[in-house]
């Protein structure tokens, strides 16, 4: 808290200087405002007297114009010979200002001089009447202005330390309370480790930036926890998936090493062809899929950008599928061109078609629709379908809705996850819906090339 006190002292000095400057500015503005009011009153009186002198001479001057108050302390009408012809009751019989200082025209706010009325400013004007020239002099009292300004300065001088003290104490209390909340947050963050990401920082009751910071940190911790748990599940699932083919390969090799005399050349060849090679290829595909997803998580997929006739890619995959399956494979293809990676898009189509064949009862239907705003690829089957509540979950990694089926029949559970990553890298979307009958349909929406828009 020593540093906090030093900061508070520095801020207190700054507030004192700021209040001093503000007080001086206020006094100056108040002085100029009051002085302007006095000058205006004097100028008005000079103008009224001059008007009457011009029209009626000194004899026709209204006596009320010679009266005084707090602003106007003296009035004199001086003849051309320098004699005072008319004056206010308290004004002297001698001119208050020299005629040479007045000159022609009206003078407002002449410099202050010492008079029997204390410090006085003057406004004056020389006019010509029916019986001669006259000089009108009106004295402006500034003593009241000076006393008022002095009272304001004294009040500010007394109030400034009180204001600084109160604001300093209030600032100290508020900053101390805020720093205590920050320290609580810091302490809790220091206690959180990767083994216990369920902890959250305390959120203060105040609705200020500190509370907003605590809420934001808790949201960040929730995201980190979710990512950490997803990573743990991913590593566990990947290890489990790789263990199965690796165990099969090792078991087969152990039999060969332990009993080489049992296997003939034909049997050894069958073992390699029917067991070792399929399992090795399956493990290679799984590792490639894992590497692709890892790259997508780290920095996003890097895809090629070239013109692709999507309907041609679909046609090639349909021909492959018809050669490999006895299912009824139907295609409704419209010309559709887009900008993307042909190899990656072929992988999307192959994953979707293989997934449809795996679940279809008798029929698979593929359609391509080209438009100005979107290219739609739909792969539908007449299989058992996917419940609506699971249609988003199937895009998670290592998800198998039928937990009883074998891995060889059900795949690794990464196909649709890879589809979503590749489609997202192309700026598209993929969703699961109702297929043929009770079956499933997967629709991929992509952006067409500029030439087709």
């Amino acid at each position: 808290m020593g540093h906090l006190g030093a900061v508070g002292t520095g801020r207190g000095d700054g507030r004192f200087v700021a209040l001093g400057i503000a007080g001086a500015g206020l006094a100056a503005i108040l002085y100029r405002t009051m002085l302007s009011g006095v000058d205006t009153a004097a100028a008005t009186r000079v103008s009224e007297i001059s008007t009457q002198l011009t029209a009626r001479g000194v004899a026709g001057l209204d006596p009320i114009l010679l009266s005084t108050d707090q602003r106007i302390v003296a009035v004199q009408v001086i003849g051309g010979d320098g004699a005072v012809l008319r004056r206010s009751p308290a004004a002297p019989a001698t001119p208050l200002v020299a005629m040479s200082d007045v000159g022609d025209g009206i003078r407002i706010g002449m410099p202050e001089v010492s008079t029997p009325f204390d410090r006085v400013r003057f406004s004056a004007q020389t006019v010509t009447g029916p019986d001669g020239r006259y000089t009108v002099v009106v004295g402006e009292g500034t003593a009241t202005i000076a006393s008022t300004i002095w009272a304001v300065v004294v009040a500010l001088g007394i109030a400034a330390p009180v204001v600084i003290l109160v604001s300093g104490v209030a600032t100290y209390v508020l900053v101390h309370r805020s720093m205590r909340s920050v320290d609580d947050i810091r302490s809790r963050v220091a206690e959180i480790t990767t083994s216990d990401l369920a902890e959250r920082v305390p959120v203060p009751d105040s609705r200020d930036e500190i509370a907003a910071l605590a809420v934001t940190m808790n949201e960040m911790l929730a995201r980190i926890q979710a990512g950490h748990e997803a990573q743990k599940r991913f590593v566990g699932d990947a290890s489990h998936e790789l263990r199965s083919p690796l165990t099969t390969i090792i078991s087969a090799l152990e039999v060969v090493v332990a009993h080489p005399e049992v296997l003939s050349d034909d049997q050894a060849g069958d073992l390699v062809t029917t067991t070792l090679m399929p399992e090795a290829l399956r493990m290679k595909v799984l590792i490639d899929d894992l590497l692709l997803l890892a790259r997508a998580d780290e920095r996003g997929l890097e895809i090629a950008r070239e013109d692709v006739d999507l309907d041609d890619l679909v046609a090639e995959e349909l021909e492959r599928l018809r050669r490999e399956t006895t299912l009824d494979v139907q295609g409704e293809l419209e010309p559709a061109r887009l900008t993307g990676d042909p190899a990656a898009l072929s992988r999307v189509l192959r994953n979707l078609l293989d997934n449809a064949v795996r679940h279809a009862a008798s029929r698979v239907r593929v359609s391509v629709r080209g438009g100005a705003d979107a290219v739609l690829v739909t792969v539908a089957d007449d299989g058992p379908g996917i419940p609506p509540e699971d249609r988003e979950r199937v895009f998670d990694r290592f998800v198998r809705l039928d937990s009883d089926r074998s891995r060889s029949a059900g795949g690794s559970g990464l196909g649709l996850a890879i589809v979503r990553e590749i489609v997202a890298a192309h700026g598209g979307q993929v969703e699961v819906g109702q297929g043929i009958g009770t079956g499933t349909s997967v629709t991929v929406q992509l952006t067409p090339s500029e030439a087709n828009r």
Side-chain angles (χ1 to χ4, degrees), residues 10 29 56 126 156 161 182 221-222 228 239 285 288 304 310 347 351 380 406 408 427:
I29 293 173
R56 298 181 294 191
T126 300
L156 289 175
V182 172
L221 288 170
H228 183 68
S239 301
V285 171
D288 290 341
L310 190 61
R347 187 167 191 177
N351 285 0
S406 66
S408 61

Side-chain angles (χ1 to χ4, degrees), residues 5 87 94 117 122 164 187 200-201 230 303 312 339 350 388 445:
R87 58 190 174 89
T94 57
F117 308 99
F122 295 100
I164 291 173
S187 300
R200 296 294 182 266
V201 301
I303 60 173
D312 291 344
T339 301
R350 178 164 296 205
Q445 178 179 318

Side-chain angles (χ1 to χ4, degrees), residues 297-338:
D297 289 340
E298 181 180 359
R299 60 181 182 274
L301 290 181
E302 296 180 359
I303 60 173
R305 296 291 180 182
E306 56 185 87
D307 287 338
V308 179
D309 291 318
L310 190 61
D311 54 310
D312 291 344
L313 293 182
V314 174
E316 293 175 3
E317 290 299 324
L318 289 178
E319 289 298 323
R320 175 190 65 83
L321 205 59
R322 292 189 179 106
R323 291 193 302 268
E324 297 176 356
T325 182
T326 59
L327 296 174
D328 180 15
V329 180
Q330 303 174 354
E332 299 177 6
L333 311 183
E334 295 180 358
R337 171 166 286 201
L338 52 83

Side-chain angles (χ1 to χ4, degrees), residues 188-257:
R188 184 64 61 84
V189 171
E191 296 172 358
I192 296 175
T193 63
T194 55
S195 60
D196 187 16
L197 289 173
E199 290 288 332
R200 296 294 182 266
V201 301
V203 179
D205 296 332
S206 59
R207 297 181 180 180
D208 56 8
E209 288 78 4
I210 303 298
L213 173 63
V215 171
T216 303
M217 292 191 68
N218 283 336
E219 293 173 351
M220 179 190 67
L221 288 170
R223 291 193 297 270
I224 293 175
Q225 181 184 11
H228 183 68
E229 292 175 352
Q231 185 181 31
K232 288 172 60 178
R233 288 195 302 270
F234 182 77
V235 172
D237 291 338
S239 301
H240 184 71
E241 293 292 336
L242 289 171
R243 187 182 296 115
S244 177
L246 191 59
T247 300
T248 302
I249 293 173
I250 292 175
S251 298
L253 292 175
E254 286 177 345
V255 171
V256 173
V257 171

Side-chain angles (χ1 to χ4, degrees), residues 310 334-339 367-378 423 426-431 443-450 452-453:
L310 190 61
E334 295 180 358
R337 171 166 286 201
L338 52 83
T339 301
S367 66
V368 177
R369 298 285 183 268
D373 298 325
V375 173
L376 298 179
V377 179
T378 302
V423 171
H426 284 80
Q429 298 177 342
V430 57
E431 61 179 17
T443 301
V444 175
Q445 178 179 318
L446 298 169
T447 303
S449 64
E450 294 293 335
N452 291 349
R453 294 190 185 184

